[in-house]
Amino acid sequence: MTFLILSYPARVATFRQVFARDLPEVGFADDAGAVDAADVRYLMTWVPPEDLETRYPNLELLFSTGAGIDQFATMPAGAKLVRMVEEGVTSLVRDYVVMGVLGLHRDLPAYLEQQKHKIWKVGDFAWADQRRVGILGLGELGLAVANALRPFGFQLSGWSRSPKSIAGVACHHGADGLSAMLAQTDILVCLLPLTAETRHILNATLFARLPRGAGLVQAGRGGHLDQDALLAALDSGQLSGAFIDVTDPEPLPADHPLWHQPRVVLTPHIAGHTRSETAAAATVENIRRHLSGLPPKGLVEPGRGY
Ligand code: GLV
């Protein structure tokens, strides 16, 4: 019974240490070429190997190294997919989104542009309790973001596929719920999983439903966003600014107009990053849960896609 991890050396070293200490009964491997494929019950990787469906006949759990799992289009029969749920990645995403919301709240894109042109000009003021922040996706990450934004006094709402209830957050779900939330959202945050239903959800129709001059913090997946629609909405003033951490494709091609859009703060998919120490502990806990017949935390429901 072996856990095989395919990752970079520093991460492998941390996992090796934690597994040797806390889960010595499970074998540990990091070399796909050297391991006996039939022994591999648990695999952790970010990029799926090409022959994933057939390579590990006894695979039980496939762990994504990150919070996202949309890269695993096909799964070996009998194996379950687990996304990374650990406090390291959650706290980084939370910090990024708080930065984006505060940046848009305080008109940072406009002031950065003024700075480039040496313009000293004071714009309008708004207070946090006058800003309505709408969060798309109320899972692990959306909840952490809501909890972090609450003390600032923003008016919070959120939207998820299934009904949720979160203190201090007006929770919406379903298509009608989405329209209702958008009409009341000054700063929209995207933390959705990428599924067939959410691909290109951030499109011209959605932007048109927001109040004029709204902002966007996009820390989901590049596939959520119609980038041309974003550029058009920024050009027309329908949107006033955006923090964009994920694009399609990645990296964004050098000649893409998003690089030059002054109202966009663009970052290279850094909103979240798995922290090896906490991820190793979470993975050990998940294997223990699995061995005792419990579902691992972050188990992906096949029909749902997250
Ligand atoms: C990063 O995007 C992740 O999925 O962890």
Side-chain angles (χ1 to χ4, degrees):
M1 189 184 2
T2 294
F3 171 80
L4 170 65
I5 179 169
L6 306 177
S7 194
Y8 56 89
R11 171 159 290 157
V12 169
T14 302
F15 268 73
R16 186 188 300 281
Q17 214 175 22
V18 172
F19 270 66
R21 188 189 62 206
D22 296 341
L23 200 62
E25 62 271 35
V26 172
F28 185 94
D30 67 319
D31 183 348
V35 75
D36 179 353
D39 280 347
V40 175
R41 300 283 176 86
Y42 313 111
L43 170 66
M44 173 167 284
T45 186
W46 178 243
V47 182
E50 268 181 24
D51 53 356
L52 175 64
E53 273 181 273
T54 51
R55 183 163 181 145
Y56 303 107
N58 299 315
L59 191 67
E60 293 175 18
L61 296 179
L62 172 61
F63 292 98
S64 171
T65 318
I69 47 91
D70 46 285
Q71 67 276 35
F72 298 101
T74 55
M75 282 287 294
K80 292 174 177 163
L81 180 58
V82 184
R83 70 197 142 77
M84 183 58 75
V85 177
E86 62 90 16
E87 62 203 56
V89 68
T90 303
S91 62
L92 279 186
V93 172
R94 175 202 64 200
D95 298 349
Y96 181 93
V97 172
V98 169
M99 171 181 74
V101 169
L102 290 177
L104 294 173
H105 167 50
R106 298 310 318 271
D107 301 319
L108 188 64
Y111 287 122
L112 288 176
E113 180 64 4
Q114 284 193 190
Q115 182 185 350
K116 263 189 227 152
H117 299 98
K118 303 191 180 111
I119 297 171
W120 187 279
K121 183 167 157 259
V122 177
D124 291 339
F125 290 92
W127 281 261
D129 61 9
Q130 297 170 312
R131 295 273 197 215
R132 300 162 299 179
V133 179
I135 303 165
L136 295 173
L138 292 175
E140 204 75 30
L141 303 177
L143 180 62
V145 163
N147 287 338
L149 289 175
R150 196 181 290 109
F152 287 94
F154 292 110
Q155 298 177 43
L156 298 177
S157 60
W159 180 78
S160 51
R161 186 171 183 248
S162 53
K164 296 260 162 99
S165 163
I166 302 172
V169 181
C171 292
H172 303 267
H173 70 280
D176 292 348
L178 180 58
S179 299
M181 185 182 89
L182 293 172
Q184 302 291 324
T185 292
D186 302 308
I187 299 173
L188 183 69
V189 174
C190 178
L191 287 169
L192 290 166
L194 182 62
T195 66
E197 285 161 43
T198 64
R199 183 169 292 280
H200 281 182
I201 190 171
L202 303 174
N203 57 29
T205 311
L206 179 142
F207 295 144
R209 293 199 169 124
L210 293 165
R212 191 169 171 79
L216 172 69
V217 180
Q218 157 61 326
R221 281 286 180 267
H224 287 132
L225 175 64
D226 177 340
Q227 292 171 172
D228 293 338
L230 172 69
L231 289 165
L234 288 163
D235 281 347
S236 73
Q238 176 59 19
L239 290 187
S240 60
F243 278 68
I244 303 294
D245 184 56
V246 284
T247 61
D248 186 14
E250 291 179 4
L252 191 67
D255 59 353
H256 198 283
L258 260 184
W259 285 112
H260 309 293
Q261 167 43 258
R263 293 304 181 100
V264 169
V265 177
L266 187 67
T267 49
H269 199 144
I270 49 78
H273 186 72
T274 294
R275 186 175 196 169
S276 297
E277 294 76 6
T278 38
T283 307
V284 164
E285 191 198 331
N286 262 343
I287 293 177
R288 285 207 182 288
R289 286 175 67 89
H290 175 72
L291 288 172
S292 57
L294 292 170
K297 290 183 186 159
L299 181 67
V300 176
E301 285 181 29
R304 200 176 67 159
Y306 62 96

